[in-house]
Structure formats: structure tokens, C-alpha cells
């Protein structure tokens, strides 16, 4: 079978290598001696006059002469270390497969990006836009490769990715179209984009006065749906005319060309960082109240609907849609982070009061207030603990909460007198 062009000591099993390595360095595409011998025997075993001649040479003169004859007469036998067409067909299946390690590596990279963006996002310096592909996504087709079309992998991880520079280019074009300054089309849409906002956020393209923009776009690591990349085919029907200069006719041989894509339904998280100090100096109105984020939302919505990301967008590839589930999950994580930060800033006394108040509100909403329930146990614990507190404000807050709960869930006859006395003590004699 065809082999990779690597030293023998590396072996031949590269099934655990990353997709990028299997597509590049470890691609099993090149002809070795065993492939030539196998193909010669297969040709000699056929029932034809040429096969008979080849078999006679093989039996009388040996394999070297048979290989030389097959290459001279048929032209279909590849030379040593030439590209093997049969191997090329099998190589696609090898490249497209994703191992569990590949999937885990992709998830780890996505989680790392999420962790890094959280601090910037909480400070108002970043935004994340979640999308899901509704068509195949591909990029890097122009990269040179023995299989005709290349593909963009992120090194050293060897995973598919969308470069941040590509994201910036698409969004800049979306902003130009929304601002009405693109020559591609005139869009009758409500938008706040202006030429000044584009220069401030994306940078100036004026060669006489070039300037950087306030935005930085991170590389996007797709959350690939399933356990494999997807193989697509485009067929060139007139290659004899376009590439060889022959006269156009309808008897040409179609040339199917395979290429890799990320399957539809894959998740894309676009991370954008804004240099607010730079933006305040360049366009202070865009830095106020997160206006730059609102502009980006418009640009992303337009790009999702009309432009797409990656290669072959003119024929529908790279189309995206907002991932509502991911947006809701991100919002839930944001609320949880804010809650954790709020609780972490509390004193121990404030934390106990807050915990009982949250429980009380939940039990009231669910209609689960009961004399022997969880809320009764928790308030008794707070009643005893608050009596020993020294902070007057915390004592009053605890007393007020216990009095509020008592209106909905009266104390038992056994504890009512003691409880009222302690609450009056906590409230400074105002119970």
C-alpha cells in the first residue's frame, strides 16, 4: 500500500496523529516497490493480450523487467515515490477521521479561550458571538497540497480553524456594506456603521495614513459535529479547455477533485477583544455604553445572513446562524459568575442571611413552606447564630429577615416566646 514520505524508523501507523499531520507529513500517498509489484501482478492476471505479454515477461525476465514494461506500455504504473492515485482515494478516509484525542484537544482549546476571555468580558473589553454552521465550512483550499486542494490546520495542534484575520476581513466587509460605502451592493438596512467607525475599530486602509484599529479577532476553533470531517467533491468538466488550451467540446473527461470541509451543525465561537483605552482616544463615543459591541452585533448578523466565512462562500459554503442555545448557555454562565463574585464579596454573616433569604423566596414561590421543613430548620440556625454576632448591621438584617419569615411561617408555640425575644434583641428592641 502507498506510504508516507518519512524515515522508516517512524513506522507506518499514524492513526493517532492529528488530522493536520495525517493530511500533511504522514499522508500515505507515495508509491513504494511493493505497490508496483502488487499492481504488476494484478495487471498480469487479467485476460487480455497485453496481460499475456506482461505475464510472459514477468515469468521469463523477472519483476524489474515487468515493471519497466508496464510503465513503458501502459503509463499507468507510477514510479517509485510518485503520487499513487489509488492511495489518494484511500487517503481521504484516513485524513477525515477524528480520534477521541482530536476531539478532546479541540474542547480543551475552546475552554482555554473561554477562560481567557472571561476576565476581559467582565471588564467590558471583549465580546463573544456564538454561531452554528448551516452549510459546510472550508478554508485554506489554496494551500499547495498533493491532493490538489489544501486545508487550514492550526499548528501545533493539527486541528481545523478559521484564522482571526479571516474573521476580521469578513466583518470589515459587512460593516462597509452596512455603512453604504461598499461597491458590491447597496443595502437598505438600518445601521449605525459609518466610515469613521470602521476606521476606528478595524483600522485605516489609507496608504497615506495607515492606522491600526481597536479590535482584535481571535482564531476560531470549530466545535466539529460528529467524529469526522466531511469530504466534498467538485468536478471540473472542461479542464481540457481551461488548463490545456484545447478546443472546447463535450467529450472531455470530468476530473473529480476532493477537498475537506467542516460539516454543517458545527459550533463556532467568535472572540473579539477591544482596546478601550485606544478607542477612547480615537472615537470616544464608540467606547461609551458598549456601543462598539452593538455595532459588531449588526456586522455579525449581516455576515451570517449574506457573506459567510472561509472559502467558497459564493456558492453557499461557510453560512452561519446565531446559536441560540449557546448564547443562552453563555448568559447563564455569566449570571453564575456574577453571583459567585457577589457571594465571594460578602462577610460570613451576610452570606448566611443571603442563603436563608434565597431559600425563603424559592420555598414561597413553590408553596413549600412547612413547620417542619427545611426553611424552619435554617431560620432556627440563623436565630441562634445571629445572637452571637457583633456587627449591628448584620444583627438588624438577620432580625428583619426572621420577622419577615415569621409572618408567612409562624413560630411553634414551644419557641415563639424565645424567638420573639431574640428578634427584639437583634432589632434593638423594635420587634
Amino acid at each position: 500500500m502507498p506510504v508516507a514520505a518519512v524515515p522508516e524508523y517512524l513506522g507506518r501507523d499514524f492513526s493517532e496523529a492529528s488530522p493536520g499531520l495525517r493530511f500533511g507529513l504522514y499522508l500515505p500517498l507515495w508509491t513504494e516497490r511493493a505497490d508496483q509489484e502488487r499492481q504488476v501482478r494484478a495487471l498480469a492476471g487479467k485476460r487480455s493480450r497485453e496481460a499475456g505479454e506482461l505475464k510472459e515477461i514477468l515469468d521469463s525476465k523477472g519483476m524489474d523487467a515487468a515493471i519497466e514494461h508496464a510503465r513503458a506500455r501502459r503509463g499507468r504504473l507510477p514510479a517509485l515515490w510518485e503520487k499513487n492515485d489509488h492511495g489518494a482515494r484511500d487517503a481521504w478516509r484516513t485524513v477525515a477521521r477524528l480520534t477521541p484525542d482530536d476531539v478532546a484537544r479541540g474542547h480543551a482549546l475552546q475552554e482555554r479561550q473561554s477562560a481567557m476571555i472571561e476576565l476581559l468580558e467582565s471588564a467590558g473589553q471583549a465580546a463573544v458571538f456564538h454561531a452554528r454552521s448551516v452549510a459546510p465550512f472550508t478554508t485554506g483550499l489554496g494551500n499547495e497540497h498533493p491532493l490538489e486542494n489544501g486545508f487550514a490546520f492550526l499548528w501545533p495542534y493539527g486541528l481545523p480553524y478559521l484564522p482571526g484575520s479571516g474573521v476580521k476581513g469578513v466583518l470589515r466587509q459587512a460593516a462597509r456594506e452596512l455603512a453604504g460605502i461598499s461597491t458590491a451592493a447597496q443595502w437598505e438596512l438600518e445601521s449605525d456603521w459609518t466610515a469613521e467607525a470602521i476606521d476606528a475599530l478595524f483600522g485605516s486602509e489609507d496608504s497615506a495614513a495607515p492606522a491600526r484599529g481597536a479590535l482584535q479577532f481571535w482564531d476560531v476553533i470549530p466545535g466539529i459535529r460528529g467524529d469526522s470531517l466531511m469530504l466534498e467533491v467538485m468536478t471540473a468538466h472542461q479542464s481540457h479547455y481551461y488548463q490545456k488550451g484545447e478546443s472546447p467540446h463535450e467529450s472531455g473527461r470530468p476530473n473529480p477533485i476532493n477537498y475537506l470541509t467542516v460539516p454543517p451543525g458545527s459550533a463556532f465561537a467568535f472572540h473579539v477583544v477591544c482596546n478601550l483605552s485606544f478607542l477612547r482616544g480615537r472615537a470616544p463615543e464608540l467606547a461609551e455604553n458598549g456601543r462598539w459591541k452593538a455595532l459588531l452585533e449588526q456586522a455579525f448578523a449581516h455576515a451570517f445572513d449574506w457573506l459567510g466565512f472561509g472559502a467558497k462562500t459564493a456558492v453557499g459554503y461557510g453560512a452561519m446562524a446565531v446559536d441560540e442555545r449557546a448564547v443562552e448557555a453563555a448568559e447563564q454562565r455569566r449570571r453564575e459568575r456574577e453571583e459567585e463574585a457577589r457571594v465571594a464579596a460578602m462577610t460570613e454573616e451576610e452570606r448566611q442571611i443571603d442563603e436563608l433569604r434565597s431559600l425563603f423566596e424559592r420555598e414561597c414561590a413553590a408553596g413549600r413552606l412547612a413547620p417542619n421543613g427545611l426553611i424552619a430548620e435554617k431560620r432556627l440556625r440563623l436565630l441562634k447564630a445571629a445572637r452571637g454576632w457583633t456587627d449591628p448591621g448584620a444583627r438588624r438584617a438577620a432580625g428583619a429577615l426572621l420577622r419577615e419569615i415569621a409572618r408567612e411561617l409562624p413560630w411553634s408555640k414551644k419557641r415563639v416566646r424565645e424567638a420573639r425575644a431574640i428578634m427584639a434583641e437583634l432589632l434593638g428592641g423594635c420587634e
Side-chain angles (χ1 to χ4, degrees):
M1 60 182 297
V3 296
V6 295
E8 186 68 27
Y9 65 80
L10 289 177
R12 296 192 177 186
D13 183 9
F14 304 113
S15 58
E16 297 304 316
S18 69
L21 283 174
R22 280 183 267 128
F23 189 66
L25 181 63
Y26 299 148
L27 186 68
L29 187 65
W30 311 105
T31 302
E32 64 173 347
R33 172 71 180 209
D35 295 315
Q36 291 180 321
E37 294 179 359
R38 189 180 304 109
Q39 192 165 347
V40 164
R41 293 190 183 95
L43 292 173
K46 295 182 178 180
R47 295 182 178 180
S48 67
R49 184 172 61 83
E50 290 184 357
E53 292 178 0
L54 182 61
K55 186 176 186 309
E56 183 178 349
I57 294 173
L58 179 62
D59 293 339
S60 61
K61 298 182 180 181
M63 181 59 72
D64 289 344
I67 290 175
E68 183 178 351
H69 177 79
R71 282 187 48 75
R73 291 292 301 272
R74 300 182 62 88
R76 294 170 56 186
L77 188 67
L80 286 176
W81 300 109
E82 279 188 351
K83 176 181 173 182
N84 190 298
D85 292 335
H86 178 73
R89 290 190 292 269
D90 292 339
W92 285 111
R93 292 192 294 270
T94 302
V95 169
R97 180 179 57 86
L98 297 176
T99 67
D101 285 344
D102 297 331
V103 176
R105 195 181 309 114
H107 288 165
L109 287 172
Q110 294 158 15
E111 290 173 3
R112 184 186 302 175
Q113 285 187 323
S114 297
M116 292 171 63
I117 207 73
E118 280 181 5
L119 292 176
L120 294 170
E121 194 174 11
S122 62
Q125 300 178 26
V128 183
F129 300 87
H130 295 275
R132 192 164 292 273
S133 59
V134 296
F137 163 83
T138 188
T139 185
L141 295 182
N143 297 341
E144 291 188 3
H145 194 272
L147 294 178
E148 306 297 341
N149 286 297
F151 193 77
F153 290 98
L154 179 63
W155 301 107
Y157 310 103
L159 296 174
Y161 82 117
L162 171 59
S165 58
V167 178
K168 181 179 180 180
V170 172
L171 290 181
R172 186 184 190 102
Q173 178 61 23
R176 286 174 55 83
E177 292 182 359
L178 290 172
I181 58 178
S182 172
T183 58
Q186 294 297 321
W187 299 88
E188 297 179 358
L189 300 172
E190 293 185 3
S191 170
D192 298 322
W193 279 101
T194 62
E196 292 74 18
I198 293 174
D199 287 345
L201 293 175
F202 293 98
S204 173
E205 293 181 324
D206 185 357
S207 58
R212 58 162 291 186
L215 300 182
Q216 298 176 0
F217 297 85
W218 290 6
D219 295 339
V220 180
I221 313 298
I224 299 172
R225 182 182 181 183
D227 59 358
S228 175
L229 298 174
M230 193 166 71
L231 190 62
E232 293 278 295
V233 181
M234 59 180 171
T235 303
H237 287 272
Q238 301 291 337
S239 59
H240 62 277
Y241 171 61
Y242 290 108
Q243 297 178 5
K244 299 179 181 179
E246 299 177 7
S247 300
H249 54 79
E250 295 301 322
S251 58
R253 296 181 59 183
N255 180 29
I257 300 174
N258 297 313
Y259 56 98
L260 289 175
T261 66
V262 174
S266 298
F268 289 74
F270 297 86
H271 302 84
V272 186
V273 177
C274 180
N275 187 333
L276 288 180
S277 59
F278 176 87
L279 188 59
R280 290 189 185 101
R282 182 78 181 272
E285 69 281 0
L286 298 181
E288 298 299 326
N289 301 318
R291 188 178 169 213
W292 65 273
K293 293 183 183 179
L295 289 175
L296 274 183
E297 288 177 0
Q298 297 175 12
F300 268 106
H302 185 75
F304 291 160
D305 289 341
W306 297 102
L307 299 180
F309 293 83
K312 297 180 72 67
T313 55
V315 291
Y317 283 70
M320 306 272 178
V322 175
D323 190 341
E324 299 292 351
R325 294 179 60 183
V327 170
E328 178 57 33
E331 179 62 21
Q332 178 62 27
R333 288 194 299 271
R334 185 191 63 80
R335 291 194 292 264
E336 291 173 355
R337 290 196 304 270
E338 291 179 350
E339 178 64 16
E340 291 174 359
R342 185 183 69 84
V343 173
M346 293 178 177
T347 64
E348 179 59 30
E349 291 85 354
E350 291 171 336
R351 192 174 294 113
Q352 292 184 42
I353 295 170
D354 184 75
E355 180 182 346
L356 181 58
R357 177 170 293 283
S358 298
L359 177 62
F360 174 59
E361 292 174 352
R362 290 197 303 271
E363 296 289 285
C364 282
R368 290 197 296 258
L369 290 177
N372 298 321
L374 181 61
I375 191 72
E377 177 187 343
K378 293 283 187 180
R379 75 170 174 179
L380 180 60
R381 190 178 302 168
L382 179 64
L383 182 73
K384 295 178 179 179
R387 196 173 188 183
W389 294 350
T390 58
D391 182 358
R395 287 168 62 88
R396 285 193 297 270
L401 176 58
L402 291 169
R403 182 173 60 183
E404 181 181 349
I405 296 175
R407 294 193 186 104
E408 301 294 332
L409 183 64
W411 293 94
S412 66
K413 293 181 180 180
K414 178 180 177 181
R415 296 194 181 276
V416 62
R417 181 175 297 178
E418 176 189 8
R420 286 179 175 175
I422 296 175
M423 285 191 294
E425 181 184 338
L426 296 174
L427 292 167
C430 300
E431 201 281 325

